[in-house]
Amino acid sequence: MTNMIPPKKICCIGAGYVGGPTMAMIAAKCPDIRVDVVDLNEERIAAWNSDELPVYEPGLYDVVKEARGRNLFFSTDTEAAIVDADIIFVSVGTPTKTYGRGAGRAADLCYIEGAARMIAKVAKGPKIIVEKSTIPVRTAEAMRTILTANSSEGQFQVLSNPEFLAEGTAVEDLQCPDRILIGGERTPEGDAAVETLVNIYSQWIPRERILTTNLWSSELSKLVANAFLAQRISSINSISALCETTGADVDEVARAIGMDSRIGPKFLKSSVGFGGSCFQKDILNLVYLCEHFGLPQVASYWESVIQMNDWQKERFSGKIVNTLFNTVRNKRIAVWGFAFKKDTNDTRESAAIYVCRDLLLEGANIALYDPRVSQETIIADLKYVGVSQEMIDAQLTICDSCEDAALEAHGVAVLTEWDEFKEADYSRVLDGMHKPAFIFDGRNLLNHDTLRKIGFEVYAIGKG
Ligand code: UDX
Ligand code: ADP
């Protein structure tokens, strides 16, 4: 394996929210290494090669522009990219299975397996394979088995290098991560492969922030980090319900407990519920693992984090219906924001999908505005959770601004914390709405005192 240091070529299979930005950062920081990012999806690759990137991330375009065409290339030619790469990152999706054994819980590894089979078919000589996708513990072993069983000319070292970037802050997170985690086999060859990857990251990240572990610790750490983060949100959301019934203020409670240095202030923002491609998927994965290994108590402990999140979303749509005099049938409700958090166009598992579905099923007319999410994505997401085309045609309007959405509405629901919502023209919003004019702030984003002063009825999460 020693002839692979230093690597000259890297390739990444999968140009999604993780693969694209991560490879762009590596290419920008390591101008001597050629980085090829490949994907089956031609439209996605065309977008990576254009001025309109498929992933909206503040600052990402500048990073891509710096390296694209110099040492960063996006293409659909997977085989050509694999054949002469020293390091192959695998960053394909691992959604929750929707069929068969483990449906609704286990991760679907069909894309991982597809990538491994492709590598085995094409690769010649020594290669380091790096798992970037979040995957269940022991997937590296499965990958190694597929690779060695299907390749006569390749020699493989499989590493786990989970990505901890959060969407919306991907560039910052990649530029200055809390830590980089690299897991490898504890053999001389495994150690050499780990060191090769360490050398790449140490081009811009202090060595002491690069942790190396065995493969399984690395794989499990990613699931556990996401489970702990999600658990904090479910914990504060559970308290939000108590605050509402007792007259406490959840933001004040979060501030008070967060100043305890043992608890810390981050990830204590109560909301309509967490979304994103990772939290739910990874917890379900953890639950599945625990059940598989005969630990039902541990499984149900973690499952409750998801149950609390589901309840928070239902509670929010229920609150809207109850407040609007127990019926939203034929009433217009403005929905502000559809992305799962601000500064991303990603909607995977967004709370907005479920709140909109519930309101549509109650007969509401939804007027929706999101500054970054496309109409196609919104419609596809709603259909995926069971909303019919007829309902979409009859009850959903996509608007060009939050003020337009609020026109003739009985209520406004803030579901994503986009900064521009703070700057809306609230006098105009109020004038255009039916009275009483309700605002349901699912992100505790707005200045509620001011809104009440100008005449709104405000419901906020966790405010008694
Ligand atoms: C998460 C992890 O943070 C990241 O390390 C991992 O690599 C991928 O999963 P991401 O899903 O992109 O990142 O965003 P994150 O900022 O973690 O937010 C997840 C969800 O939790 C969002 O819906 C967000 O609005 C919500 N959230 C977050 C809260 O409701 N309250 C908080 O205090 C923090
Ligand atoms: P993430 O958020 O983890 O980056 P995404 O779903 O956004 O996940 O991206 C994964 C990408 O991987 C998709 O664009 C998909 O087309 C691509 N992909 C899946 N399997 C393969 C494969 N065998 N070869 C190339 N690309 C693949």
Side-chain angles (χ1 to χ4, degrees):
M1 303 296 291
T2 42
N3 61 347
M4 294 204 307
I5 303 172
K8 284 273 160 268
K9 287 194 181 175
I10 289 179
C11 105
C12 177
I13 304 178
Y17 284 86
V18 172
T22 313
M23 291 303 124
M25 184 60 74
I26 291 182
K29 299 292 182 185
C30 307
D32 296 335
I33 300 179
R34 180 188 165 110
V35 180
D36 286 291
V37 187
V38 291
D39 202 295
L40 300 169
N41 185 331
E42 287 180 13
E43 223 178 292
R44 222 170 205 187
I45 289 298
W48 279 112
N49 282 319
S50 75
D51 290 340
E52 203 54 47
L53 303 183
V55 167
Y56 174 71
E57 276 292 343
L60 180 60
Y61 184 65
D62 292 337
V63 180
V64 170
K65 223 169 51 178
E66 182 187 341
R68 196 172 58 189
R70 177 188 72 188
N71 64 325
L72 174 65
F73 302 92
F74 294 94
S75 89
T76 50
D77 195 349
T78 313
E79 296 198 7
I82 290 174
V83 85
D84 53 3
D86 305 309
I87 303 182
I88 302 166
F89 287 81
V90 178
S91 190
V92 298
T94 50
T96 304
K97 268 185 95 174
T98 52
Y99 55 88
R101 241 176 67 198
R105 281 155 186 252
D108 192 338
L109 297 178
C110 66
Y111 302 108
I112 292 268
E113 180 168 344
R117 287 189 187 276
M118 168 71 84
I119 296 169
K121 188 175 114 193
V122 180
K124 294 185 177 56
K127 307 261 179 231
I128 298 176
I129 313 300
V130 185
E131 301 172 332
K132 250 301 165 203
S133 316
T134 310
I135 26 85
V137 183
R138 307 216 162 187
T139 303
E141 198 175 67
M143 277 185 85
R144 191 172 34 230
T145 309
I146 296 171
L147 289 166
T148 43
N150 289 282
S151 171
S152 48
E153 296 178 70
Q155 300 148 255
F156 305 103
Q157 273 301 319
V158 180
L159 303 181
S160 157
N161 172 219
E163 184 48 61
F164 294 100
L165 69 81
E167 288 176 30
T169 52
V171 172
E172 255 171 87
D173 296 343
L174 287 166
Q175 176 83 38
C176 199
D178 287 348
R179 81 304 207 184
I180 291 287
L181 180 57
I182 303 173
E185 228 188 322
R186 289 279 154 93
T187 58
E189 294 79 11
D191 290 344
V194 167
E195 210 39 44
T196 304
L197 195 53
V198 167
N199 285 338
I200 290 179
Y201 284 113
S202 58
Q203 298 303 307
W204 77 99
I205 295 159
R207 185 66 184 79
E208 63 276 11
R209 283 204 216 151
I210 305 176
L211 305 182
T212 59
T213 65
N214 75 31
L215 266 177
W216 303 327
S217 300
S218 166
E219 290 178 327
L220 184 60
S221 299
K222 170 68 183 188
L223 293 187
V224 174
N226 278 341
F228 269 58
L229 290 168
Q231 181 206 40
R232 276 174 76 93
I233 303 169
S234 275
S235 296
I236 198 71
N237 281 346
S238 73
I239 300 303
S240 75
L242 185 62
C243 288
E244 285 166 35
T245 48
T246 56
D249 177 327
V250 75
D251 287 333
E252 289 178 356
V253 174
R255 183 152 182 264
I257 64 168
M259 283 176 76
D260 183 325
S261 60
R262 294 167 300 176
I263 297 175
K266 293 185 183 164
F267 265 72
L268 287 178
K269 183 75 188 160
S270 189
S271 69
V272 56
F274 61 74
S277 68
C278 285
F279 284 175
Q280 171 156 319
K281 178 186 81 178
D282 289 352
I283 293 176
L284 287 171
N285 215 328
L286 191 61
V287 167
Y288 185 71
L289 271 179
C290 294
E291 281 171 352
H292 177 79
F293 288 105
L295 300 167
Q297 292 82 355
V298 185
S300 73
Y301 174 75
W302 287 107
E303 194 160 26
S304 72
V305 172
I306 295 190
Q307 286 162 353
M308 180 53 61
N309 196 49
D310 288 341
W311 184 66
Q312 186 77 347
K313 292 181 270 188
E314 284 162 33
R315 206 165 74 75
F316 189 80
S317 40
K319 184 78 191 180
I320 296 178
V321 177
N322 294 347
T323 309
L324 293 178
F325 314 104
N326 288 316
T327 176
V328 289
R329 196 171 147 77
N330 296 328
K331 287 181 182 166
R332 177 166 165 129
I333 298 180
V335 166
W336 290 5
F338 200 74
F340 81 96
K341 63 188 280 196
K342 74 170 180 178
D343 291 340
T344 177
N345 59 346
D346 195 352
T347 59
R348 286 177 287 181
E349 287 304 328
S350 179
I353 300 172
Y354 300 93
V355 172
C356 287
R357 177 198 60 190
D358 292 354
L359 294 173
L360 288 167
L361 293 176
E362 286 286 337
N365 296 323
I366 301 265
L368 199 155
Y369 169 69
D370 186 289
R372 290 285 167 185
V373 179
S374 70
Q375 174 159 338
E376 296 72 53
T377 301
I378 294 167
I379 292 174
D381 286 345
L382 290 173
K383 281 188 173 167
Y384 189 75
V385 295
V387 176
S388 66
Q389 183 65 50
E390 294 71 49
M391 219 176 242
I392 287 168
D393 292 341
Q395 293 170 242
L396 178 72
T397 313
I398 310 289
C399 301
D400 292 330
S401 72
C402 58
E403 286 96 348
D404 284 357
L407 209 59
E408 300 287 326
H410 290 258
V412 168
V414 181
L415 300 185
T416 310
E417 73 281 24
W418 287 103
D419 288 333
E420 67 176 73
F421 299 157
K422 291 190 271 191
E423 314 303 328
D425 180 346
Y426 282 97
S427 304
R428 193 182 137 205
V429 170
L430 182 70
D431 282 348
M433 287 179 67
H434 290 280
K435 308 295 174 318
F438 292 97
I439 290 197
F440 303 90
D441 188 351
R443 296 287 181 167
N444 289 347
L445 174 75
L446 308 177
N447 185 329
H448 303 147
D449 289 342
T450 310
L451 292 175
R452 286 195 181 101
K453 260 186 218 137
I454 63 172
F456 285 101
E457 297 283 331
V458 181
Y459 162 76
I461 303 266
K463 311 267 177 177

